[in-house]
Amino acid sequence: MKILVTGGAGFVGSACLRYLVRQGADPIAYDNLSLGHRAAVPADRLVVGDIQDTPRLVALMRERRFDAVMHFAAATYVGESVTNPDHHYRNNIAGTLSLLTAMREAGIERMLFSSTCATYGLNPKMPMSEESEQVPCSPYARTKLAVEWMIRDFAEAYGLGFTLLRYFNAAGADADGSHGEDHEPETHLIPLVLRVAAGDMKSLAVFGTDYPTTDGTCIRDYVHTEDLASAHWLAIQATTPTTREVFNIGTGNGNSVMEVITACEKVTGRKVPLVISPRRPGDAPALVADPKKLKSRLGWKPRFPEIEQVVETAWRWHQAHPQGYADRPAKRTVAAR
Ligand code: UDP
């Protein structure tokens, strides 16, 4: 199967691309490298380009005759979406419009879209099924929800088979430590805790201890990128030109910020100094998936269901690559969000 993977040099996109190659599929990453890393994909599988460049996409699609598109390319920093919504609306909404236009022109009839549990936002019902009400609480989440509707409307009007995949918190690294998470700036919990454990940072800011949760810190469902990737592979095989589907991808296990820190301390054998800090704008108190549908319909089974397993792989990556892919000039600044 020939698959165009937009954002295929990013953290999740590249993990999926590498997984697809292992399954015998023929994926090509299309990435503008603004967030992605050249070293995350084999050189012969990377085309550098922007999804807003419709003619370029049409030409590539015609040349390579893709069977399907997996659409990962997006602006993803929640905090930045609050301060610079233009960037998010342009990349995520205008970018997807350009991609869908190109797909129509080139006659590609199947796609997967990387949506997010953040579209459920402040919904207090836990765990979240695909039918849970979507109440996005950040511009980022609103762009993802808008794109879900854009895809549904295009499918209705022009014909398109799609599966929307709502990820919970993507985490971990390739089991052999060869590829992993490298954001610049880094905002995600697990890599930041590991930086503190490694001595690269003095302490970890815990954003809020007054949430209505068991220990007062936010609860998330951390799903390993390889398990995300296997869900994509199952989903694309089940997507036909008439499919209209949506699946959550999460383990169903919620872990609080404090539990993640404890897991990191156990895996690394090091103490992580904490600084209790105010809540971070845009954070929902708890986001935990109900993965029943993904398991029963597609036969998905996570290989890394426990937080310690996820952290172990991330720690292996961090130890082997303390500077990440080392392809950006100003490394290791930490974003406030
Ligand atoms: N978090 C934290 N300190 C940090 C980074 C994150 O306390 O330095 C918390 C954050 O508030 C959230 C959880 O960890 O409750 C997961 O955040 P992350 O950015 O990893 O993922 P998100 O849920 O925002 O997609």
Side-chain angles (χ1 to χ4, degrees), residues 47-66:
V47 174
V48 179
D50 196 291
I51 50 168
Q52 293 185 60
D53 187 345
T54 319
R56 178 97 195 282
L57 277 175
V58 174
L60 182 68
M61 288 171 180
R62 291 210 167 116
E63 182 197 324
R64 306 269 183 150
R65 300 174 176 277
F66 294 109

Side-chain angles (χ1 to χ4, degrees), residues 98-149:
S98 163
L99 175 68
L100 289 172
T101 304
M103 287 172 67
R104 279 178 68 201
E105 276 192 42
I108 299 180
E109 296 178 308
R110 294 195 279 163
M111 83 179 295
L112 301 188
F113 171 58
S114 308
S115 189
T116 168
C117 64
T119 62
Y120 297 123
L122 292 173
N123 191 327
K125 208 171 147 264
M126 219 59 60
M128 283 146 167
S129 80
E130 290 78 0
E131 274 69 52
S132 297
E133 195 189 351
Q134 290 175 292
V135 195
C137 56
S138 69
Y140 162 71
R142 284 188 277 277
T143 66
K144 288 285 182 176
L145 183 55
V147 169
E148 285 196 5
W149 280 107

Side-chain angles (χ1 to χ4, degrees), residues 110 163 233-240 243 245 247 297-298:
R110 294 195 279 163
T163 300
W233 177 232
L234 294 168
I236 198 66
Q237 293 173 94
T239 303
T240 72
T243 300
E245 261 301 3
F247 291 105
R297 294 270 189 87
L298 297 184

Side-chain angles (χ1 to χ4, degrees), residues 35-277:
L35 299 173
H37 301 276
R38 196 177 279 281
V41 276
D44 59 347
R45 293 197 177 274
L46 175 65
V47 174
V48 179
D50 196 291
I51 50 168
Q52 293 185 60
D53 187 345
T54 319
R56 178 97 195 282
L57 277 175
V58 174
L60 182 68
M61 288 171 180
R62 291 210 167 116
E63 182 197 324
R64 306 269 183 150
R65 300 174 176 277
F66 294 109
D67 301 295
V69 170
M70 292 189 184
H71 180 30
F72 296 89
T76 57
Y77 288 110
V78 176
E80 181 192 50
S81 80
V82 177
T83 54
N84 189 8
D86 182 298
H87 178 65
H88 279 244
Y89 279 85
R90 203 169 294 280
N91 263 279
N92 300 0
I93 297 194
T96 305
L97 182 57
S98 163
L99 175 68
L100 289 172
T101 304
M103 287 172 67
R104 279 178 68 201
E105 276 192 42
I108 299 180
E109 296 178 308
R110 294 195 279 163
M111 83 179 295
L112 301 188
F113 171 58
S114 308
S115 189
T116 168
C117 64
T119 62
Y120 297 123
L122 292 173
N123 191 327
K125 208 171 147 264
M126 219 59 60
M128 283 146 167
S129 80
E130 290 78 0
E131 274 69 52
S132 297
E133 195 189 351
Q134 290 175 292
V135 195
C137 56
S138 69
Y140 162 71
R142 284 188 277 277
T143 66
K144 288 285 182 176
L145 183 55
V147 169
E148 285 196 5
W149 280 107
M150 192 193 298
I151 292 171
R152 288 179 199 275
D153 289 339
F154 268 60
E156 206 53 50
Y158 311 121
L160 172 68
F162 68 81
T163 300
L164 310 174
L165 299 170
R166 296 189 188 132
Y167 308 166
F168 283 68
N169 285 51
D174 285 21
D176 63 0
S178 60
H179 297 85
E181 192 163 8
D182 180 2
H183 296 110
E184 189 53 39
E186 187 55 79
T187 61
H188 294 102
L189 181 62
I190 294 174
L192 288 177
V193 180
L194 295 180
R195 284 183 193 185
V196 178
D200 302 339
M201 279 167 51
K202 275 210 186 78
S203 59
L204 181 92
V206 175
F207 296 140
T209 50
D210 58 349
Y211 284 97
T213 58
T214 37
D215 63 18
T217 62
C218 289
I219 292 177
R220 295 288 182 272
D221 181 337
Y222 295 88
V223 53
H224 194 278
T225 46
E226 185 178 316
D227 291 328
L228 277 168
S230 69
H232 283 70
W233 177 232
L234 294 168
I236 198 66
Q237 293 173 94
T239 303
T240 72
T242 57
T243 300
R244 280 125 177 73
E245 261 301 3
V246 50
F247 291 105
N248 285 336
I249 317 181
T251 64
N253 301 326
N255 286 107
S256 71
V257 171
M258 288 304 185
E259 286 170 346
V260 170
I261 294 165
T262 303
C264 292
E265 289 185 330
K266 193 162 167 211
V267 167
T268 62
R270 303 181 190 181
K271 192 86 196 127
V272 174
L274 306 178
V275 175
I276 305 303
S277 307

